[in-house]
Amino acid sequence: MSTQTATQQEREAFTFDDLAVVMGTYNEAEAIGSVLEDIDSVTDGRAEVVCVDGSSDRTPEIAREHGATVIEQEPQGYGVAVREAVLTPDRPVVVTTDCDDTYPMERLPDFLDEINDGADVVSGDRLYYGADEMPGMNKLGNELFALLASVLMGERVHDTTTGMRAYRREVVQKIAWTENTGLSAELLMRPLMRGYDVRERPIEYDERKGETKLDPFSGGAAIAKSIVRVALEERFR
């Protein structure tokens, strides 16, 4: 048995006290309270919650009322907010989610179990069960993004743009994140192409509350460009 393996086995398992759930928020007053209540219920109030917010509605006030740490910034796009959210906590396990109530917070224990089993990144695959609540154009786009990334990386992935993932904090701190609209794909692709233990796991996906902020055409083009850019950078790194 290697020293590294022995050390991993001897380390105590991570608990909810070691977990931070983070998100970028922008005018999500309709859903943010429900999401934070779910996190609190599932983790017994032990997980840290961080929201990086650029809202003009009551989203930050509602988040603070539910005990979340809120970092306010001018709206600069999805990736800027989520990158700040991911790098802010000092807890050893970080889970990203969206604030529109589409992701199953009841799966947080499963994601934590995967990290304790040795995973570096655990990525929620929304498409596995069909994602029937997802608009048809979005679903097709996400399938094409995954296909494009798979071809460029030479390794099959199924959902490159999911917003729900768990990461070892040490992994996200070691990589320079560059993308904005395409950050979700980057957060999966760079660790995978660098040999980290990245696992995809099926998750349910619910109908979102509130209006989507991403234009399907300009946003889709930006994500596709990010996938190509990240894959090429990692190939020639």
Side-chain angles (χ1 to χ4, degrees):
M1 180 184 296
S2 69
T3 302
Q4 182 179 6
T5 302
T7 301
Q8 289 174 343
Q9 290 183 349
E10 291 168 2
R11 176 184 55 77
E12 291 186 8
F14 294 125
T15 69
F16 290 135
D17 296 314
D18 302 305
L19 177 66
V21 182
V22 307
M23 64 195 83
T25 56
Y26 181 68
N27 292 346
E28 297 288 356
E30 184 176 346
I32 187 68
S34 177
V35 173
L36 297 179
E37 287 169 6
D38 288 346
I39 295 169
D40 185 72
S41 175
V42 170
T43 69
D44 298 322
R46 294 158 60 191
E48 177 184 11
V49 180
V50 176
C51 300
V52 176
D53 184 77
S55 299
S56 58
D57 66 3
R58 291 195 64 251
T59 298
E61 287 83 0
I62 296 170
R64 288 191 180 98
E65 289 168 2
H66 285 79
T69 297
V70 178
I71 302 170
E72 296 192 56
Q73 64 175 212
E74 291 297 317
Q76 301 172 66
Y78 172 85
V80 174
V82 173
R83 182 164 58 245
E84 178 76 15
V86 165
L87 295 175
T88 293
D90 59 7
R91 296 197 182 189
V93 182
V94 178
V95 172
T96 58
T97 189
D98 287 351
C99 49
D100 54 12
D101 209 21
T102 55
Y103 290 99
M105 294 300 96
E106 64 270 17
R107 295 297 303 280
L108 288 173
D110 300 329
F111 277 40
L112 191 60
D113 286 345
E114 292 279 357
I115 295 292
N116 281 321
D117 185 54
D120 296 306
V121 179
V122 185
S123 186
D125 177 4
R126 302 165 295 174
L127 305 179
Y128 183 89
Y129 294 122
D132 293 333
E133 299 296 341
M134 186 181 295
M137 183 175 294
N138 293 24
K139 183 178 177 181
L140 176 61
N142 287 321
E143 290 171 343
L144 293 175
F145 295 146
L147 180 60
L148 175 63
S150 298
V151 170
L152 293 174
M153 293 191 298
E155 185 160 355
R156 185 72 171 101
V157 291
H158 301 87
D159 189 357
T160 55
T161 52
T162 179
M164 186 174 181
R165 293 199 186 103
Y167 306 85
R168 292 182 185 269
R169 178 171 171 263
E170 61 196 47
V171 173
V172 296
Q173 287 190 319
K174 287 178 180 177
I175 298 175
W177 308 104
T178 63
E179 300 305 300
N180 195 350
T181 305
L183 182 68
S184 286
E186 182 184 23
L187 283 165
L188 177 71
M189 293 173 66
R190 291 200 194 275
L192 184 58
M193 296 184 76
R194 296 188 189 191
Y196 287 103
D197 185 343
V198 178
R199 308 176 187 180
E200 286 189 290
R201 294 294 181 262
I203 59 171
E204 298 287 353
Y205 183 80
D206 291 330
E207 184 177 2
R208 68 168 288 126
K209 292 180 180 178
E211 297 297 322
T212 182
K213 313 300 189 300
L214 182 67
D215 179 89
F217 297 103
S218 62
I223 292 169
K225 289 179 182 177
S226 290
I227 290 171
V228 174
R229 183 184 303 116
V230 168
L232 292 177
E233 287 178 356
E234 289 299 317
R235 284 286 184 191
F236 297 105
R237 187 175 64 89

